[in-house]
Amino acid sequence: MVKAPFSTAAKTPAPGNIIEYRITYTNIATATGVGSVSLTASGLVINENGASGSNNWAAFTTHQLGTVVSPVTPLQFFNGATLLGTSDPATGTTVTRYVNSPGTVNPGSTGTFTFQRKVN
């Protein structure tokens, strides 16, 4: 599957549309200037659950093979509490949660975790 380009134009979700989820993170610590402290963020885990709390994307969208982009691997795919593994599941596989562990984020470093889902 070819990843659809990102668009910021307003849309109305409809069956067949692709929705991209984009999670970005930045370590705002810097090591410049008098009195500055260089703080490394460690143990960062992104746990995006589409069936938890007020999230409902797992019920109304479908996983799309080849659309998950993570700067650090392995990424874990889940169906509920069941780990499906670290290989990107086939399109249509029930994936309700993505867990990405970028690990250490150095001062000033950024990262983005994205995935796309198709509206049912």
Side-chain angles (χ1 to χ4, degrees):
M1 160 147 252
V2 175
K3 184 178 176 190
F6 184 73
S7 169
T8 59
K11 296 176 184 55
T12 302
N17 287 158
I18 299 293
I19 298 174
E20 180 167 290
Y21 295 82
R22 187 177 290 182
I23 301 163
T24 61
Y25 51 91
T26 303
N27 182 342
I28 62 171
T30 61
T32 60
V34 176
S36 292
V37 176
S38 178
L39 299 174
T40 300
S42 60
L44 175 64
V45 176
I46 299 168
N47 183 0
E48 182 56 33
N49 190 333
S52 176
S54 61
N55 286 342
N56 65 2
W57 55 257
F60 298 101
T61 62
T62 305
H63 174 75
Q64 299 297 294
L65 175 68
T67 66
V68 177
V69 179
S70 168
V72 178
T73 56
L75 175 73
Q76 295 176 312
F77 300 87
F78 288 84
N79 178 2
T82 303
L83 175 62
L84 300 174
T86 57
S87 296
D88 193 359
T91 293
T93 300
T94 302
V95 176
T96 61
R97 181 167 58 118
Y98 302 92
V99 176
N100 179 229
S101 300
T104 300
V105 183
N106 292 319
S109 293
T110 64
T112 303
F113 168 53
T114 62
F115 60 95
Q116 293 182 352
R117 308 273 300 188
K118 186 174 187 177
V119 178
N120 298 336

